Amino acid sequence: MPLTMLNFGEDAAIKRIGGKGEARRFLENLGFTVGETVKLVSSNCGNVIVQVKDSRVAVSKGIANKIMV
């Protein structure tokens, strides 16, 4: 299921990252790698805030839908 389907405060491991090469590299540079645990912190105004690798990162819902957990 996509990252946007998680409940607030729920942890999940990343299973797959979709998208083209540039989008995947962007997400990997932010810490979104297969096997990494992410936690949904907040969702508002078209953005999703997640905690990954001890950092909070805001990404658009479109990008978050490419991250499968």
Side-chain angles (χ1 to χ4, degrees), residues 2-46:
L3 178 61
T4 54
M5 298 291 287
L6 285 179
N7 295 321
F8 295 112
E10 187 177 3
D11 292 340
I14 297 174
K15 304 227 187 266
R16 184 174 62 85
I17 298 175
K20 301 204 180 214
E22 186 176 322
R24 291 173 109 175
R25 280 192 300 274
F26 173 73
L27 290 170
E28 287 176 2
N29 288 337
L30 290 176
F32 294 95
T33 56
V34 174
E36 187 65 41
T37 302
V38 294
K39 179 179 181 179
L40 184 62
V41 177
S42 176
S43 176
N44 59 4
C45 299

Side-chain angles (χ1 to χ4, degrees), residues 4 18 32 43 46 63-65 68-69:
T4 54
F32 294 95
S43 176
I63 294 289
N65 281 325
M68 298 295 160
V69 294

Side-chain angles (χ1 to χ4, degrees), residues 1-2 9 12 24 31 37 39-40 52 54-56 61-62 67 69:
M1 78 177 158
R24 291 173 109 175
T37 302
K39 179 179 181 179
L40 184 62
V52 60
D54 298 326
S55 298
R56 288 189 179 189
K61 284 189 179 179
I67 302 169
V69 294

